Structure formats: structure tokens, C-alpha cells
Amino acid sequence: HPFRAVRLTAGYRRQFEFGATVDFRARWTGVTHGAPRRITRFFTLEGNYRHPVTRSLTVEGTVIYRNEQDSLSRDNEGVDVDLSLEWIVRQTEFRVTYEFNQFDDDFTDTDSSVLFVQVRRNF
């Protein structure tokens, strides 16, 4: 089936003198499908902050908001929050990440939390 899509993206990035960075992004997509006529719109806002506490320790946080509107179903909406702590010792990187997700769609309301512990060795 043929479709027509319009995609718009805007972003902003700033690096501070002390090494921290902040990123913001907004995305909007509108898709119109042929017969039967169906219109779907996606909107995403994303913010990220990364801050080096010391040369070997960094904290990072990301928040993503998502919204989907579809003419054939109800709206879907959700948010993702990620918080990370990264520690580098010589050639080994330790990273602890906590993720929280909340999403409301046609089928269910979902809340989830995950804790990741990663160890990476660079050679």
C-alpha cells in the first residue's frame, strides 16, 4: 500500500567547559496510508546529560518521552528513564545502569525496572 510520510527533527547539543554535555532532540513523523485511509503520528522528546565527576567516573541520565496517535486505535504514550554510573580503572570499564520504563498502549499499561551491571575489558 502506498503511503506519504513527513519527518521533522530538531536537536540541540551543548558542551560545558568542565566536560559535561547536554543533548535535546525532538522528532515528529506523520504517516498517511492509502485505502482505507489511516493517519499515524509519532512524537518523541529526548534529553541526555553526561557529567564527568572525575577522569575515571562519569554519571549519565537520559529521559525519552514517546507518543503515538493512530486514527484506527487509541493513543499510545510512554516514558523511559535511564541512569548510569561509569567507572574506568585502567583498561576495565564498570557500568551500572538503572532503567525505568512506563508505556500505555492498546493492550496493556506496562511499568518495568531493570538494573544492568556491565564489565568490559579493553585490550
Side-chain angles (χ1 to χ4, degrees):
H1 296 281
F3 68 92
R4 190 180 79 196
V6 175
R7 294 178 180 90
L8 303 171
T9 302
Y12 173 78
R13 180 181 176 101
R14 167 97 191 258
Q15 185 164 357
F16 298 96
E17 292 177 13
F18 50 91
T21 56
V22 65
D23 285 297
F24 294 106
R25 271 184 238 116
R27 294 183 187 108
W28 182 87
T29 302
V31 181
T32 304
H33 300 271
R37 186 173 169 88
R38 179 180 184 184
I39 299 171
T40 307
R41 293 183 182 97
F42 302 96
F43 178 67
T44 304
L45 282 176
E46 180 178 345
N48 174 273
Y49 181 74
R50 184 170 173 85
H51 184 97
V53 178
T54 67
R55 196 171 5 157
S56 61
L57 183 64
T58 302
V59 295
E60 183 173 6
T62 302
V63 176
I64 301 171
Y65 168 77
R66 300 174 292 160
N67 182 281
E68 176 185 331
Q69 298 173 342
D70 193 311
S71 60
L72 298 182
S73 63
R74 69 184 189 96
D75 294 355
N76 300 324
E77 186 174 48
V79 66
D80 299 325
V81 178
D82 295 354
L83 302 172
S84 296
L85 184 64
E86 180 182 289
W87 184 38
I88 298 173
V89 179
R90 295 187 183 145
Q91 295 173 310
T92 306
E93 177 184 324
F94 301 93
R95 187 174 183 95
V96 177
T97 303
Y98 171 73
E99 291 184 2
F100 173 76
N101 304 303
Q102 185 177 39
F103 196 71
D104 177 22
D105 63 17
D106 283 346
F107 304 104
T108 185
D109 293 341
T110 305
D111 290 343
S112 66
S113 295
V114 179
L115 182 67
F116 292 101
V117 178
Q118 299 169 308
V119 178
R120 184 180 1 203
R121 174 87 170 149
N122 297 314
F123 295 98

